[in-house]
Structure formats: C-alpha cells, structure tokens
Amino acid sequence: MAMIGIDGALVEHAWFHPVVRNDSKLKAPIVFLHHGFGCVADWKSFPSKVADATGRSALVYSRRGCGASSALPFPRTEAYLHDEASGFLPLLLDRLGMARCHLYGHSDGATIALLFASAFPDRALASVVEAPHVFAEEMTLRGFAALNERYETDATLRRKISRFHRDPDGAFYAWSNAWLLPEFRSWTIVDELALLSQPLLVIQGAVDPFGSMAHARLIAGRSGRIPIVVELARCGHSSHTESEAETLQLVTKFMEWLAPYRRRMIALVERGREVGR
C-alpha cells in the first residue's frame, strides 16, 4: 500500500499491474471504487485478477475515513456521493496524472462512478457498476438500518470490519449515519443518468438485500446511452465475491468489446472530419 496527499488528506491506494504488461502502459487504467465502508484491502484479489484478465492496470484507493486513509474532515451529508464524484475523485486523478480512466464501482462506489461519468464524460471512458444505488429504495433503507443494528450487537461483524480499517467505528458509522438521515429518503441521481454517454455495464444480483433491479432498469431507461444490463441469479450485493468467476468474465468481455468500439468511434470522427473539409 502507498499513501498520497490530496487536499490535506493522506489517501491509501494501491496499483495492480497485469502479469503480461506488453502495451498495458498505453491503455487507460481501471479505477476501483469501493462500497460505503470498504477500502483497498476489502477488494482482496479481485482488482489484480481484473488487471491480468484485461491487460489494464488497476488503481484501488480507500476514501477518506476508510482503510488507512485520513479521517473525514466533517460529517457526511446526503450529498456525500455527489461530493466524492465531483470534488475529491477528480483531485485524486489529477494528483496521479490520470487524465482518463475506466471505472469499476461497487454499491456506493457504483453510484460515485455513475456521477463521475455523468459530470466528466471526457474523463470517464467506460464504467462497470455493480449493485448501484440511484435512489433511496425502501428495501435499501431497511437493509441498511438492519445492518446498523447488527453492527452494534454482533461482535463477529465488528471484528471482521476492524481488520480493514484504522478506525472501524468511524468508517461504518460515517456511512450508516448518512444513509439513515431523514433527508436521504428523497435522495436520487435519476436526473444525472441522462448525462451518461459512455459505454456502461450494469451488474445486479437477483437476491441483493440492499437493492432491486429497479436501479438497473432506471439506468437503462434514463441513461443517455443504452447500457448492458446483467442480472446474476442467486447472487446478492457483492457479485465480485459471491459470483467472482462470472463477474470477472463479464468485465473481461466488456473490456474486449470496447477495443473495436473505440476504433469504430475514432473512424467515425475521422470520417466526419474528411466530410467537413
């Protein structure tokens, strides 16, 4: 793990490079965005496997308040996902000299990926979003409230989370307290979906206790570009751990599809330039 200074905070991050690098330095990397109280270590080996399978380097970082990163400078509000996508993530990418990238987001991270792609279409090349939240669904709020209660009473869960964070209580409650704010009940990013213009893969577990296919359907119906939507049977909230092989295959095929897609787009642009001469 390494640390980097961003806007007065130290941010934990790690790079995973493909075993066979070849032209990987010429390919835009994939930035991984963790769930609400996740971190670098919480991804385990999945980013490394994606890097090897796609031939692209993977960047993983712990958001402020998570993992070994600095504490949050202030309590989160219902706008914290927007703030991360439009404020802090661009600063991180700038600091790392990363002009453009692909995104892989899980849960809260998936929402951040959607918001970043809608706000910075010139920087987000393509996104994979796993179990995204696009509105405050009632089952999501119930599930988060139950998880909050379990955290307070289940010592096993607390010990598990403490393995990943310098301040486990701070990481968990910063997330749960935000989602349980009364104003979060009307939270939504549906309006931002129309601004999505880049290729998008949406992965949703059929038995996710924290969100239904309604989110994927909204993305498909409201997005400025029709996404690829995959529902995984017998899969819950974390497809990259519960259905790792299938998820890895989906991501690999998606990234393979992007190469000829980008060549077609470049050819169309060049053709348009010639017509305009």
Side-chain angles (χ1 to χ4, degrees), residues 30-105:
I30 303 171
V31 176
F32 283 75
L33 304 165
H34 61 72
H35 68 81
F37 52 97
C39 62
V40 171
D42 195 37
W43 284 103
K44 299 184 174 65
S45 63
F46 185 70
S48 178
K49 291 176 180 177
V50 170
D52 288 339
T54 64
R56 296 178 181 274
S57 294
L59 171 70
V60 188
Y61 77 100
S62 300
R63 294 194 290 277
R64 290 168 298 176
C66 296
S69 292
S70 294
L72 286 163
F74 39 71
R76 285 177 176 159
T77 70
E78 77 281 3
Y80 82 93
L81 296 167
H82 287 78
D83 293 341
E84 185 72 24
S86 62
F88 199 79
L89 178 54
L91 290 178
L92 173 66
L93 299 182
D94 289 345
R95 182 72 173 80
L96 292 169
M98 195 183 306
R100 308 174 80 186
C101 64
H102 300 284
L103 301 167
Y104 187 111

Side-chain angles (χ1 to χ4, degrees), residues 139-199:
M139 70 177 294
T140 303
L141 298 176
R142 287 198 306 268
F144 288 170
L147 185 59
N148 186 77
E149 182 177 349
R150 181 185 166 201
Y151 182 77
E152 294 178 346
T153 59
D154 187 341
T156 300
L157 176 61
R158 294 176 73 94
R159 282 194 300 271
K160 179 181 177 182
I161 293 175
S162 69
R163 297 201 307 266
F164 298 118
H165 302 280
R166 177 179 53 81
D167 178 10
D169 283 351
F172 183 85
Y173 285 122
W175 164 78
S176 68
N177 288 346
W179 271 94
L180 297 179
L181 289 170
E183 48 268 45
F184 225 115
R185 301 193 72 85
S186 59
W187 171 88
T188 178
I189 67 164
V190 169
D191 289 343
E192 287 90 337
L193 296 179
L195 301 175
L196 292 170
S197 59
Q198 301 289 12

Side-chain angles (χ1 to χ4, degrees), residues 93-133:
L93 299 182
D94 289 345
R95 182 72 173 80
L96 292 169
M98 195 183 306
R100 308 174 80 186
C101 64
H102 300 284
L103 301 167
Y104 187 111
H106 172 222
S107 192
D108 272 18
T111 303
I112 293 169
L114 292 171
L115 289 168
F116 180 84
S118 66
F120 303 99
D122 56 328
R123 302 192 71 170
L125 296 171
S127 301
V128 179
V129 292
E130 174 190 340
H133 303 296

